[in-house]
Amino acid sequence: DINAEPDCVRVSYWTKSDAEDVLIVVGNWSDEDCDAVIQLPAGLASMPCKDAETGGEIVPSDALQVRVPHHDFRAFRLNHQAE
């Protein structure tokens, strides 16, 4: 499972069936911007990660730390092979 903080943050992820891609979506349900901390399972923590909107690379870690605007979401793509 993926855990997220603070309580206003919701996170879901999906695995592409024909590839080794994972899409993580982090949503902020609050009225204020927040700094989210997402604890990734061991299998995902070592995968290269990119911001799905900007294409910016994120250093693999056991926790994904991101700013999420209020009433908005962020999406991230993880892939076993760097592109």
Side-chain angles (χ1 to χ4, degrees):
D1 288 345
I2 293 181
N3 298 310
E5 293 179 354
D7 289 337
C8 63
V9 173
R10 301 293 182 264
V11 62
S12 295
Y13 72 100
W14 299 268
T15 302
K16 191 172 181 179
S17 61
D18 62 345
E20 295 182 342
D21 288 6
V22 176
L23 177 68
I24 297 177
V25 176
V26 181
N28 177 359
W29 291 69
S30 77
D31 293 329
E32 298 180 13
D33 296 354
C34 75
D35 293 313
V37 178
I38 299 92
Q39 297 295 329
L40 300 174
L44 301 181
S46 62
M47 294 174 69
C49 179
K50 288 187 178 184
D51 185 307
E53 186 174 355
T54 67
E57 294 188 27
I58 298 171
V59 176
S61 173
D62 61 347
L64 182 61
Q65 299 180 16
V66 296
R67 184 104 174 132
V68 184
H70 64 284
H71 300 281
D72 205 350
F73 69 92
R74 303 273 308 272
F76 303 91
R77 179 180 178 215
L78 287 74
N79 185 289
H80 283 289
Q81 298 178 3
E83 295 180 10

